[in-house]
Structure formats: C-alpha cells, structure tokens
Amino acid sequence: MRKVILALFALATLTGWAKGKTVVWEQPSTEVNTKIDGLSDALLQIVLVEFAEDETRLTMHIASRPTSWVKLSSGTHLIAEGKQYALKRLDGMELDKETYLTAQGHVDVVLHFEPLPMNTKRFDFTEGEDKGAWKLLGVEDAKTRAGQLFPSNWRNTQTGDWDISFYDECAVYDCQFWNYSQKIRKGDKYLIVLENNGKEITVNVGKNKKGLRRITIDGKEGQYSLITSITLPDYPQKDTRAGFKDTGYRTDTVTFVGWLRNMPEELKEDNGEFRVEYTNIFTDKNIISYSKTDSLGRFTIKVPLHNSSEVDCYEEPYIRTFFEPGETYFMLYDFKGGHKLFMGRDCRLQNEMLTYPIPMIYSQRPQKDMDEATLMQLLESLKKDKANAMQRLEQVIDKHPNISDRYIKCIADKFNASVGSALMQIRYWTENRMIPAGYLDYAYQESWQKMAEPYTLYSDAYWFRKDYIRYLTENRYAIPMKGGYCMLYEDVYAPLLRNFRDAGKVQITDGDLSTIEKYAEINHRVHKEQADNEVIHLDLTEEESKWFNKACEILDREDIKKALKDNESLFDTYRAISILDSIGCSQDMRDIIIAGKIYDIFEYNCMPLGDNEMQFIEENIKLPAVRDLLYAEQEKYLALQRGDGAGISSLKSAEDVANMSDGEKILRKITEPYRGKIILMDIWGTWCGPCKEALSHSQEEYRQLKDYDLVYLYLANRSEETAWKNIIQMYNVTGENVVHYNLPKAQQSAIEHFVGVSGYPTYKLIDRNGNVLDVNVDARDLEGLKKLLNQMK
C-alpha cells in the first residue's frame, strides 16, 4: 500500500499538482467509515491527503461488484472547524454519473477541493445529508492519531500481523477478549494489565514516534504501527508456502471468535446471531455452526471441519474465507470505525483475501434451450472471462510483490473450480442437456485435471465434481426422457459380475459376460428408440432375440440373481466407479465420491447397511478417516434400530381403519380424538429428502408454535416400518401433541387422493371440527403459518 501511495504522490508532483508548500497524510486514519463492505455496497478508503496552497486533494480507493454502479455527487464537500470546502473537480470518474467498475471492480480517483488550512488537524468527508450519502468522518493524520491509544488496532511491523487492540470496552489479544485490571498512563506511555478467565498479562506501551510505538506484551517486545486502513496492509515479507493443512479428512474443530463492533441497531434486531456454513462433501448437506452475539456484538463459534475448507460467514456482514482444522481465528468487523481484520496464528491468507477479494468470473447469462453453437460461444466467453480474471490477478501480483504464494495459488485454483461449476450448470439451459465434446474436454482439462487438494477446499469444486460425474453417468447409463432421465440397471450387470468373479463370489465365463454386455447394448438401444419415437413396444430382430434370450438364461441363474439382488443398492456406486476409472482420479477422490454414494444409501433407506454393503466399504475405501465416518453412520442407525421406536408414544396403530377405503372417512376417524383443536397435517415419506430436512427442524417448529395449542399429525407415504421409526427418533419428531401413522398403502393413498396431494411434503390445516381447510400452508414457513393461525383465532 505504501508503494501505491508514493506512486500517486509522485504522479501528483509530476503533473503539477504540488506547487509550493504541500502537507501530505499517507493512509490517514478515519474515525467513522460505514462504507467498508465492497461486496453488496461500495468500499471507500482515503489513501492519500495533500494540502496545497491552491487546493486540497484526496486520493480515494473505491471498490464494488463489477455488476454494480457507484456514483459521487457534485455536492460532495469537506468540513473542518465547522466550515465547508466545496469539490472543484474529480479525476477518474464523472460526477453525478452511475459508473460501473467492470474492468477491475475498483477505481482510484482524485478529488480536488477548495484549499483547507495547511495546519488542519482533522476534517470530515461527506456527500451531504441524504440517506445513503457517502461519509467518512474524523479524517486525521495517522502519525497524530497514533497518539490516541483508545480505540486503536496495532500490527507488528516485523511480522505484519495484527497483534493487539485497545478499546474502551475491552482489549483484543491472542484471539481473545481481555478485561482491564489496571490502566496507568504516564505522559504518552501506558502500563496496562489485562485479565481473561483468571489469567493476567502485562502490556507496556511506549511513546508514539511518528505513528510507531514499542509495545511489550507479556514479556515479548516489538515495534508496532497503527492500523488505519480498512483491511490489513501488505505484509513486509514474502510467504512462499502454497498448500493447505491436510488432515486426511479426519474431523477437527476450528474456533472462530468475532466482534461485530458498532453494529447498527436495525441489523441487531434482524440478526442477533452469526453463522458459519459450508457443504459437507460426503453428505451433500449444508453444515451450519452458529452463535448468538452478546450485547456488544461478540461471539464464539466451534466449527467442525473434515479438512481445510472454504466457508461462508454471515448474517451481517457476509465474508467468504478459508478455515484450517485445529486453528483459532479472530475476526473484527467494525461498522463504525471501518476495520475488518483477522487475527490468529496463521491468518495471512484471510487478511489478504479481505484486502484483495477474489475477482469474480462473470459470464453472459445463459439463454433457455441453447443449441450447440450458442453453447460453444458461451464457452469462448467464459474462457475470456477467466483470462481477464487471471490478468487482474497478475496485476495484483505485480503491484504487491509480497503477496503470498498461498493467496496466488488459492485464487488460481478457485478460478478453475468456478469455471468448471459454471460450465456444468450451463448444461441445464440447453435443448437436451447434452454437451459438445469440445466443451466437455475443456471442463476436464481445466477443472477436473487441475482439482486442488484437499478436496474440501472450494465449494465450486464440489459442485463441479457432483455435476460432472452426474453428467458422465447419465450420458453413459441413462436414456433421456421427457422431463428427465431413465437410469438403466442392465448396463452395470457385466462390470459388477466381473468384479464378483474376480473376488471369487460367483462363477461366470468371459463368454457369459460378453452375452450380458450385448444384452445391455440391445436393451439400451431399444429404450432409446422407444423414448425418441414415443412408442410403447419395439420388435427385436431375430439375432437380437437370440442374444436377449441367452442373457436372460444366464441372469436367471440363482447365484447370479442373488448376487445382483443383494447388491442392487450399490448399482449407482458401481456406475460412479466405472466413470472414475475412465477419467482417472486419485485414490482420495475415489474414496470421497464412493463415500458420498454410500451416504446416499443411508439417506434413502434410513436404516443400517447390510453385510454386502459393509464388505464393499472394507474392500473399496482406503482412507481410514473416510471409513471411520461411514462406520460411525452405521453405528448411528444400528443404535436407532436397537431402540425400535420404544418409548415413542406418538406412534399410532392402523387397526381402527384397516377395513376402511374412503379417504375422507379414514381421515375423520384418525383425527376424531382431537376435535376442538387445530391439526397441522404433514404428509411425508422416509425416501423424501425435503421431507426429512423439514422434520429435522421439528422441535424448533414446536417451540415457535407452542402458543397455538396445535396437534401435529404425520402420515408417512410408502415408508418401510423400521425406516419410519428411525427418522422419528433421529429428528426427535415427538411430543405430547404429536401423532404418527404409517398406514397401509391403500388407506394412505385414499387420504392423499381426498386431500389432493401432488408432491411431498404436503401440509394441510384441519379445523376444530375436523374439516380440511382450503388454504396454502407450509410448515417450513413458520411466519406465514403463524399468520394463518392468527386468522383462525
């Protein structure tokens, strides 16, 4: 940053700005700066102030999303000692005009004002009093501001790290909040004793010498400079490390401490908590860790991670960064003072990402039903976008030679992942979801082959992998149908039986396997022609009939039939393995994708795995940590099964309606005991992902709706008994006013036909007289549900 400021000052001198005496403030301090986001709002920072006899000049850094605009009003002025100084000219932007920062996402501008007195100590920058007007208040020379210790943030000039802060409320050091046991001031020196959980440390603060102080913290002395910029300036030395910590996917915890200082009251009311979220690459679920903030906006969150990961931190503010397992991070986000900083044992990357955010790769919006030519044009556009982003990264490297190698590699790898994710998502906009070979080759070369490890790192990489494997699987094993795909089982028979033979589980000849492969080929062709021509039946040729009949004889053998039946749940896993074998991948990648498929089996069946599936894990997954994760999931379901629903008083028998067939009468019969109360009916299934996601929040639902005295009636659709009980126990869908039925298929279908079920979950409200109400209701929208219930009162 200092090199940039000196360069700007040199430019000012050469262009004749500095005539006669000039007073310069480099990287001045700002007491109040509420424009520090740079993502959804503009980021404003004064980097240089020059007081000349004929004018006062401000060099300002403005950043925003390239797709957003910024505008500076001609009414902008400075205020010092109660007097206003008007803006005369603006270099780098046009006044009163919406300006899109499409090239870089930022711009450096120079504002020329009427001259302030050369001895000015402090001034305000403002566009005016309108709501949303840009304001930076209490602008002051950093060398002078360093004489004020409270509040202040300090960085070690040797390491470049933010080490300590002094605020009126508390101090911040070693990623912790410290209370003041003692504060003694002697002139410009301070003796401070800090206390945290019974531990005390002594801090000696030396005199301010042109913005620098010698500070001794718990016996360790160093030279410190006042942090006046929004984010941490460039580090003084180069860091040549490039990789991330790799735990082998063994879960560890991150401790994340933060301070949302001076949060506006309206944000406090809307939020009151801070969250960290990322996608679990094994379960495909969002993992959310959160903590309530205290009255000062402070929080501590424990975040479990399988490995180093990209995470999203929000509600307000929103920050995307990286966490490494076992580390402790402290984040300061000061809504008034204008600072966003990371503290920790190794948080250089986090600070560099705040200072130099990842340039986004933009592409033109996809069109509906794109043909191949349009798709290839879009690919070329995406290539240019990536090249431009890489060029922006090179500019950052050139201007900031000390930027860490880890940052450089992280950004480049993120670009590869982002391009891959965008490419695979775009296919959903095509005519038939098919991708040209050249398009797919680019995704393979730029995203698959350049996948960074550990594989938890980039959320975009996860979504790319998921979509890429899915596309290749559908392309090889599925038949496109109206509105989706039909996955064929027969294509996996031969490779699966070949593996079984090699493992000594079945006896089958190469000739028999060739026959089954031919059978699968014929079957695939027939299904495709049926789908293309929208016909029910196609006749086989005489030759095809021979192959077909011979294969059926082989597949009808008891040993073959049993082997396929016992491993039917693994068909999708075997398809994925065949795809991975064809495109090549590391053993870790293979294990992770296989583990994801096994988790899908758990998720769908809601029961422990069988012996064949457990043996498959033992034979195919090499990473100990990944195997342990699956074993832990198996034990969870075994424990549920051992309970067998015991103690769940809300499980009801279907005996009273066993002989009934009228849906309305069945529903009236099972709701009869609850007349006089409003019933919220939830029709769901153990096989339904959205249903189970909603059920996982049941206790929160009951808590928020406790004042309405509801009865919760759950009707399970096509759900195996054990799985049904497991889900109820797992998500604690229980209570005195909770009722569960797992009706026979005929009775369940009759009720669903009566109430008009068209999807799952389906929610219905039943009034106090047992009538199903014709209102739109969704238990996942609790605020909307409360409004309906209030109307019913």
Side-chain angles (χ1 to χ4, degrees), residues 95 191 242 384:
L95 284 169
L191 171 63
K384 290 179 182 176

Side-chain angles (χ1 to χ4, degrees), residues 133-153:
W134 293 1
K135 291 186 178 183
L136 285 79
L137 310 179
V139 182
E140 188 177 354
D141 185 7
K143 296 174 183 177
T144 305
R145 174 61 182 78
Q148 179 185 336
L149 195 64
F150 300 92
S152 61
N153 305 299

Side-chain angles (χ1 to χ4, degrees), residues 191-207:
L191 171 63
I192 300 172
V193 179
L194 303 177
E195 182 275 331
N196 176 284
N197 287 329
K199 178 183 178 181
E200 287 192 344
I201 61 172
T202 301
V203 180
N204 289 287
V205 182
K207 290 182 179 179

Side-chain angles (χ1 to χ4, degrees), residues 11 20 26 93-94 98 146 176 284 296 311 379 451 483 502 515 519 549 554 561 582 592 605 620 637 671 710 785:
L11 176 63
E26 296 182 12
M93 282 174 55
E94 290 187 48
E98 296 174 359
Q176 298 175 81
D284 195 21
L296 295 178
V311 298
L379 172 61
M451 194 91 62
D502 295 344
T515 299
Y519 159 80
N549 292 333
I554 299 168
K561 194 158 49 174
S582 67
I592 288 168
N605 293 328
N620 287 276
Y637 281 99
T671 58
L710 298 177
L785 179 54

Side-chain angles (χ1 to χ4, degrees), residues 308-470:
S308 296
S309 302
E310 183 179 36
V311 298
D312 292 323
C313 308
Y314 59 96
E315 284 286 328
E316 188 71 41
Y318 169 75
I319 289 175
R320 176 169 287 179
T321 191
F322 290 85
F323 283 169
E324 294 185 273
E327 295 296 328
T328 298
Y329 303 99
F330 185 105
M331 182 190 74
L332 170 69
Y333 197 103
D334 192 340
F335 288 83
K336 177 184 175 184
H339 296 288
K340 46 184 180 180
L341 307 167
F342 270 98
M343 176 185 289
R345 182 178 64 178
D346 189 2
C347 61
R348 175 170 178 159
L349 173 66
Q350 288 75 15
N351 280 308
E352 288 178 336
M353 288 184 64
L354 288 177
T355 306
Y356 310 107
I358 297 176
M360 297 185 69
I361 296 180
Y362 290 94
S363 179
Q364 57 182 298
R365 183 176 175 82
Q367 305 167 21
K368 191 176 180 181
D369 296 331
M370 291 185 295
D371 58 18
E372 182 173 326
T374 306
L375 199 60
M376 294 307 291
Q377 289 174 3
L378 203 60
L379 172 61
E380 291 305 313
S381 175
L382 198 57
K383 287 181 181 179
K384 290 179 182 176
D385 291 337
K386 181 184 176 183
N388 290 336
M390 286 300 296
Q391 186 177 12
R392 294 198 294 271
L393 175 59
E394 290 299 328
Q395 290 170 351
V396 170
I397 296 169
D398 289 343
K399 291 180 180 178
H400 309 279
N402 278 356
I403 200 84
S404 69
D405 286 353
R406 180 187 276 195
Y407 172 88
I408 296 168
K409 186 177 188 306
C410 178
I411 302 300
D413 288 342
K414 176 71 174 175
F415 288 162
N416 293 333
S418 299
V419 167
S421 178
L423 286 173
M424 298 313 300
Q425 281 294 303
I426 287 170
R427 80 178 177 101
Y428 294 105
W429 294 75
T430 62
E431 292 175 313
N432 53 11
R433 294 192 179 181
M434 298 301 292
I435 297 176
Y439 185 103
L440 198 62
D441 288 345
Y442 184 81
Y444 175 73
Q445 294 163 7
E446 294 300 310
S447 297
W448 181 262
Q449 288 193 318
K450 295 180 180 180
M451 194 91 62
E453 295 185 61
Y455 298 120
T456 46
L457 268 177
Y458 304 100
S459 56
D460 283 337
Y462 166 75
W463 292 112
F464 162 71
R465 288 196 304 270
K466 186 178 178 69
D467 285 343
Y468 186 64
I469 298 298
R470 177 185 293 157

